[in-house]
Amino acid sequence: MPPAPLSQKEIEDRLAELPGWSLDGDRIARSYRLGSHFAAAALVVHIAQVQDELDHHSDLTLGYHTVSLTVNTHSVGGAVTELDFDLARRVEDLAAGHGAH
């Protein structure tokens, strides 16, 4: 059974618990700055591993010292669901360990 889309209020409440994350159209989004390109690339690999574990994937962009991601749930027409926030929380935990801010 696919996850249920979250209401605007539910999205806002969950975003309040994730500093740095925001609503970008129909997705939640976050960018991180790291100390080097290599550190950014390592974070991308780690995020990709978590996405495979969750079987839930974001649009992930590697920049020079940055990593950006946007996520929504394609199986419910591109709405934001609890799956997106599960991924965001996991990414937050990873990012801290990589020295991202």
Side-chain angles (χ1 to χ4, degrees), residues 16-59:
E17 299 169 3
L18 287 168
W21 285 84
S22 62
L23 188 61
D24 182 11
D26 63 348
R27 300 165 173 262
I28 58 171
R30 173 83 153 92
S31 292
Y32 297 94
R33 182 145 187 83
L34 292 100
S36 69
H37 181 69
F38 186 81
L43 178 58
V44 165
V45 170
H46 208 162
I47 291 170
Q49 180 183 18
V50 168
Q51 290 180 140
D52 279 352
E53 286 172 16
L54 295 175
D55 193 26
H56 190 61
H57 301 83
S58 68
D59 288 335

Side-chain angles (χ1 to χ4, degrees), residues 45-97:
V45 170
H46 208 162
I47 291 170
Q49 180 183 18
V50 168
Q51 290 180 140
D52 279 352
E53 286 172 16
L54 295 175
D55 193 26
H56 190 61
H57 301 83
S58 68
D59 288 335
L60 188 56
T61 304
L62 171 63
Y64 180 56
H65 285 181
T66 60
V67 173
S68 300
L69 62 154
T70 61
V71 62
N72 61 9
T73 304
H74 301 287
S75 64
V76 293
V80 175
T81 69
E82 195 59 48
L83 284 176
D84 304 313
F85 284 98
D86 291 345
L87 177 58
R89 285 185 211 72
R90 291 281 302 271
V91 170
E92 278 298 299
D93 291 343
L94 294 176

